[in-house]
Amino acid sequence: MSNPEDNHGLSRRQFLGLTGGVAGMAALVSMGIPPGWADNTTAVDLQKRADKAYETDVLVIGGGMAGLFAAVKAHDAGAKVMMISKGRLGASGQTPFAKGMFAYDEKTAKMSLDEFTAAVSRSALGTNNPVYTRQMAEHSQARVNELKEWGFFDSVLYNKPFSKPITERNIPLIERVMITHLIKENGKIAGAAGFSLDAEQVITFHAKSVILCTGAGGFKPNGFPICDLTHDGTVMAYHIGAKVTGKEWNDGHPGQADNAAACFDGWHGMFERKPDVTGVEIRHDLGVDLNYIAYINGNPLEGGPPPELMRKNKVKGGPYKPEGFDHSSPPPGGEAGLAGGPPPRGEEPPRHGPPPGGEGGLPPGMSQTPVGGSSAGMAIHKSEGLVPINDQCESTIPGLYAAGDALGSYMAGAIYTQIGSSLTGSAVQGAIAAQAAARYCQNTPMPTLSAATLSTIKAEILAPLKRKAGYGPAWVTQTLQGVMIPNFVLYIKKESMLKAALAYIEELRDHHMPMLRAADMHELRLAHETANMIISAEMKLKASLMRTESRCSHYRLDYPELDNQNWQAWINIHKDAEGNMQLEKQPFGSWPTQA
């Protein structure tokens, strides 16, 4: 029997559990592992931290395009506003990489607002919410004009033009604070809580209303410049009972091996340029086509895209245009065939998920858009996030609003249909959410925050710092990436692989997530982000299993066809009273019942 002292102070049971048995024991002893090798050697003195608390009418979380307009318009509507950002204003998330700003000018447009909305619905196979599609176009020119006044189109970098209206209005802005918890009291939003990335302190915000402008997310894959979006807002809202939607859809922006952090856009190539304004151009982009080709024929991108793709498209990316369908005007068939559902009889619908077959080349009806898994974990712009209960960006939690990529508005549907609509949609929705939140605050007293609730939240925020031993968040994230990023899990889906991946993710959720540790404030951020990514991964896998068809950016190898009889519906997700994840259908074009 071995001497307990040889186990560096651990009992035999503890040692075997941590090292994985006799083989692990022998290996660690031979390496001379010192006592306390599994300890969390935190450098944070939690007893000396100086926590802070603030109070405001409207709390805006996020410093991108949606957050900018949410803060400005809530202030202009008479509300007391405070803005919080995990990064730097206008310089984090997806905002710095977006260069196109869509503007609909009714004086010069070749189609009416109704025709534009119908054309998007046709391209998106009915997955869009036409109310938000029209809203984006209708308010686009006004938002573009304001950005011009602030100098947005004069600079490659966005911090200065974003700061101009914030500074002019003296709106309080706190940067480098990670919000981890939304606070709900008596069924309504009551504030939020998080911690500073630069100081050892927990920060609480007492608020009548909260606007989430936290973007979508991703699994931090290599080769993609957007790596600080981790579904924080979506998961925080889910934990307090909000409904979430759109988790089965997948973004298809590609990355590159060289200069991986450089800004890459599938239509303009690699660039660092000033933003510009785009006009109406309905497209069928960011599908799963090259993922399918890679799955069937091997990697088509070794040494660069196939020459025939480059010759045909000239630049990476290009619209798929089925025969007889003119993207510059409403498609044939009249409005009846545009709001969702099957196209007019005898007309071939646009395909966004590849059909089976097609050996030795592109399967019939497949677009030429090069896509990839480098943006794994993200969704098509505006198709993932909190479920709105109306056209005012209001969530299923009273007082909680969302805008931009944090709102599952389905503005463009489950395929990205209008270049530049992402930035514009964020601006438009930020402004609309702000005005709605300001109105809500006028008739709402400041909610009460219970001491017990705040104590519990602070304990949950600091738990990874207090954990004596556990898993480093970087390692758990790497494990999650290995499960979720493969082409045959997130893009080319089938039941067996989705279930296998889900088993891994549930293990991370049940065992590894409760044991995440942090040695400093940086690791504390990583620990909370990792937990959010695990919950989002579970959502994406379960929603992908539930949708037994192929539509837009969701492709099931075992269900390759559209199923309009059963799946003209969005999938919403919520947490039940027992804490379990529940999924439900919501028919296209309907508003859900408020929870």
Side-chain angles (χ1 to χ4, degrees), residues 512-528:
H512 295 71
M513 196 167 80
M515 294 181 65
L516 286 167
R517 59 170 173 77
D520 51 33
M521 303 310 282
H522 171 70
E523 272 204 326
L524 185 61
R525 173 180 69 85
L526 295 179
H528 285 284

Side-chain angles (χ1 to χ4, degrees), residues 153-172:
F153 296 99
D154 301 327
S155 174
V156 171
L157 303 177
Y158 300 159
N159 179 259
K160 186 175 180 180
F162 275 35
S163 297
K164 186 176 187 295
I166 298 295
T167 302
E168 289 175 347
R169 290 163 173 79
N170 199 27
I171 297 173

Side-chain angles (χ1 to χ4, degrees), residues 32-55:
I33 301 297
W37 64 273
D39 291 350
N40 180 22
T41 54
T42 180
V44 178
D45 188 347
L46 296 176
Q47 302 303 316
K48 293 183 178 181
R49 72 178 200 276
D51 295 346
K52 290 185 177 182
Y54 299 91
E55 184 175 297

Side-chain angles (χ1 to χ4, degrees), residues 207-474:
K208 296 180 181 180
S209 178
V210 172
I211 306 177
L212 286 178
C213 303
T214 47
F219 297 137
K220 295 187 174 183
N222 295 327
F224 196 62
I226 299 172
C227 61
D228 57 348
L229 284 173
T230 48
H231 312 279
D232 300 340
T234 297
V235 177
M236 284 189 290
Y238 166 78
H239 283 314
I240 64 166
K243 290 186 177 181
V244 173
T245 192
K247 301 302 288 190
E248 71 270 38
W249 315 116
N250 293 299
D251 178 83
H253 278 92
Q256 54 180 348
D258 298 331
N259 304 313
C263 182
F264 181 85
D265 182 292
W267 299 279
H268 299 291
M270 185 167 42
F271 57 83
E272 284 295 339
R273 63 174 180 82
K274 297 176 183 178
D276 55 21
V277 178
T278 65
V280 174
E281 186 180 0
I282 312 298
R283 308 171 68 116
H284 309 284
D285 290 304
L286 302 180
V288 293
D289 304 20
L290 284 193
N291 300 78
Y292 178 82
I293 298 172
Y295 184 81
I296 298 299
N297 297 329
N299 183 8
L301 295 180
E302 290 181 357
E308 60 271 18
L309 291 186
M310 297 300 290
R311 282 195 299 271
K312 182 161 185 173
N313 293 301
K314 296 183 181 178
V315 295
K316 289 188 175 184
Y320 163 52
K321 299 182 179 180
E323 285 187 37
F325 180 54
D326 181 3
H327 288 258
S328 64
S329 61
E335 292 188 8
L338 296 172
R345 185 170 297 176
E347 185 179 342
E348 174 69 13
R351 286 184 181 271
H352 304 309
E359 294 182 7
L362 292 170
M366 186 182 291
S367 87
Q368 299 282 346
T369 306
V371 296
S374 61
S375 59
M378 296 181 67
I380 303 301
H381 295 299
K382 312 297 181 288
S383 72
E384 175 187 302
L386 273 62
V387 173
I389 63 170
N390 52 31
D391 63 352
Q392 299 298 298
C393 306
E394 185 178 0
S395 79
T396 54
I397 303 293
L400 177 61
Y401 299 80
D405 284 347
L407 181 68
S409 65
Y410 289 106
M411 182 195 78
I415 198 77
Y416 197 37
T417 51
Q418 172 61 60
I419 305 305
S421 65
S422 179
L423 271 182
T424 299
S426 293
V428 169
Q429 291 177 7
I432 288 172
Q435 292 159 355
R439 289 193 299 270
Y440 173 87
C441 290
Q442 290 175 358
N443 302 312
T444 302
M446 186 65 70
T448 300
L449 294 181
S450 71
T453 297
L454 292 177
S455 178
T456 299
I457 288 174
K458 286 185 178 182
E460 291 175 355
I461 290 174
L462 299 172
L465 288 170
K466 296 180 177 181
R467 210 155 275 139
K468 293 183 178 180
Y471 297 100

Side-chain angles (χ1 to χ4, degrees), residues 9-278:
L10 297 175
S11 69
R12 180 176 177 83
R13 182 181 296 275
Q14 289 173 321
F15 188 74
L16 289 174
L18 287 168
T19 61
V22 176
M25 181 189 298
L28 289 171
V29 170
S30 67
M31 290 187 290
I33 301 297
W37 64 273
D39 291 350
N40 180 22
T41 54
T42 180
V44 178
D45 188 347
L46 296 176
Q47 302 303 316
K48 293 183 178 181
R49 72 178 200 276
D51 295 346
K52 290 185 177 182
Y54 299 91
E55 184 175 297
T56 189
D57 290 341
V58 177
L59 179 66
V60 177
I61 304 176
M65 183 65 77
L68 171 68
F69 275 93
V72 168
K73 295 300 181 180
H75 172 276
D76 292 353
K80 181 182 178 181
V81 184
M82 179 169 283
M83 189 179 195
I84 310 300
S85 179
K86 186 165 68 169
R88 189 166 181 247
L89 180 66
S92 58
Q94 296 180 89
T95 301
F97 306 99
K99 300 296 182 181
M101 190 87 184
F102 168 74
Y104 175 85
D105 187 346
E106 60 181 357
K107 298 177 181 178
T108 59
K110 295 181 180 179
M111 61 175 70
S112 68
L113 278 172
D114 288 340
E115 290 170 336
F116 171 80
T117 302
V120 170
S121 296
R122 171 69 168 80
S123 181
L125 299 179
T127 58
N128 70 311
N129 185 328
V131 174
Y132 277 99
T133 305
R134 181 187 175 95
Q135 181 189 85
M136 182 272 298
E138 186 175 10
H139 296 276
S140 60
Q141 191 64 60
R143 301 289 81 80
V144 167
N145 291 340
E146 287 173 313
L147 287 167
K148 286 180 180 178
E149 293 177 8
W150 301 335
F152 175 74
F153 296 99
D154 301 327
S155 174
V156 171
L157 303 177
Y158 300 159
N159 179 259
K160 186 175 180 180
F162 275 35
S163 297
K164 186 176 187 295
I166 298 295
T167 302
E168 289 175 347
R169 290 163 173 79
N170 199 27
I171 297 173
L173 167 65
I174 304 179
E175 296 175 317
R176 292 185 57 75
V177 168
M178 180 175 184
I179 302 297
T180 59
H181 289 68
L182 293 174
I183 305 173
K184 185 176 72 170
E185 294 282 6
N186 299 319
K188 298 180 180 180
I189 200 70
F195 60 93
S196 170
L197 300 179
D198 301 316
E200 296 170 0
Q201 59 185 205
V202 173
I203 306 177
T204 55
F205 300 91
H206 196 181
K208 296 180 181 180
S209 178
V210 172
I211 306 177
L212 286 178
C213 303
T214 47
F219 297 137
K220 295 187 174 183
N222 295 327
F224 196 62
I226 299 172
C227 61
D228 57 348
L229 284 173
T230 48
H231 312 279
D232 300 340
T234 297
V235 177
M236 284 189 290
Y238 166 78
H239 283 314
I240 64 166
K243 290 186 177 181
V244 173
T245 192
K247 301 302 288 190
E248 71 270 38
W249 315 116
N250 293 299
D251 178 83
H253 278 92
Q256 54 180 348
D258 298 331
N259 304 313
C263 182
F264 181 85
D265 182 292
W267 299 279
H268 299 291
M270 185 167 42
F271 57 83
E272 284 295 339
R273 63 174 180 82
K274 297 176 183 178
D276 55 21
V277 178
T278 65

